[in-house]
């Protein structure tokens, strides 16, 4: 009997994260197809006086990488949205790191509950997912947060749209780009989303969608495996 062909999974996220995701998919016995719909462009804004800030906030590994290119200072307390971002911060030399281990909501709760002793500098995307200052105030916090745009993501068009059994969505912006694709490209594919926010742009398209229980890649890949397994069950 011929062995089943491993499911092909389209990774839509930016590099270098797409490469890390591909390795995890291979470990699970799946076939990764790297075709990012977004690319990262680092920005070079003038840095404020870093001595004014008691802490830094990073909401993605992309922000960590872009900030690292702007300054060699690594002595601040760092607050991160999740563990992957915390690992990225540790990888460039920060030692005092607190991870919210979740999404933007979890990060705002962390800041509100454990505010640093002074203003915060948030190194974020040019178009952030949400207003961190407003979210912290809504959570009951009083932290003073100044944002610094250190990178942007721009849409890119793959040379050809891959034929796959599943598509991974790591962000709402990637989901909006996927939603704009030809419906026949999507109809036969399971779409696994890292969070409800990432799934929202696809909600009205009548597609097979799996949403991770927690907003991290471990949970995303677990939901992908479970949904693929359910699809393979006889009806």
């Amino acid at each position: 009997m011929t062995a089943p062909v491993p499911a092909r999974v389209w990774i839509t996220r930016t590099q270098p994260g797409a490469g890390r995701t591909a390795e995890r998919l291979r470990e699970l016995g799946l076939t990764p197809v790297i075709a990012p719909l977004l690319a990262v462009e680092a920005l070079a804004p003038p840095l404020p006086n870093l001595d004014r800030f008691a802490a830094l906030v990073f909401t993605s590994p992309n922000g960590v990488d872009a900030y690292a290119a702007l300054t060699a200072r690594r002595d601040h307390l760092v607050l991160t949205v999740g563990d992957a971002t915390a690992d990225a911060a540790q990888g460039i030399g920060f030692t005092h790191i607190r991870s919210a281990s979740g999404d933007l909501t979890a990060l705002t709760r962390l800041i509100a509950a454990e505010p640093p002793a002074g203003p915060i500098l948030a190194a974020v995307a040019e178009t952030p997912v949400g207003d961190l200052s407003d979210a912290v105030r809504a959570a009951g916090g009083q932290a003073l947060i100044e944002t610094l745009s250190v990178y942007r993501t721009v849409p890119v068009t793959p040379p050809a749209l891959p034929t796959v059994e599943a598509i991974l969505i790591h962000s709402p912006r990637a989901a909006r780009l996927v939603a704009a694709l030809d419906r026949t490209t999507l109809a036969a594919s399971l779409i696994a989303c890292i969070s409800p926010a990432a799934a929202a742009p696809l909600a009205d398209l009548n597609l097979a969608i799996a949403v991770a229980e927690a907003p991290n890649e471990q949970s995303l890949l677990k939901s992908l495996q479970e949904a693929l397994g359910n699809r393979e069950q006889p009806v």
Side-chain angles (χ1 to χ4, degrees), residues 57 109 138 157 192 198:
V57 160
R109 289 173 180 163
T157 302

Side-chain angles (χ1 to χ4, degrees), residues 117-218:
I120 298 170
L121 179 64
V124 296
E126 187 177 54
T127 306
V129 174
D131 189 304
L132 189 59
S133 294
D134 287 348
V136 169
R137 285 194 291 271
Q142 302 297 320
L144 178 62
I145 302 174
E146 182 176 320
T147 60
L148 181 71
S149 297
V150 295
Y151 74 98
R152 65 166 65 100
T153 55
V154 295
V156 295
T157 302
L161 297 180
T163 301
V164 294
E165 285 69 54
I167 303 171
L168 286 182
I169 303 294
H170 283 76
S171 69
R173 190 166 185 196
R176 288 192 289 272
L177 294 172
V178 168
L181 297 176
D182 182 81
R183 189 68 58 86
T184 58
T185 303
L186 308 177
S189 301
L190 166 72
I191 303 179
C193 302
I194 200 166
S195 67
L202 302 160
D204 297 330
L205 299 184
N206 194 28
L207 300 170
I209 296 175
V211 181
E213 292 184 2
N216 59 62
E217 190 162 86
Q218 180 179 353

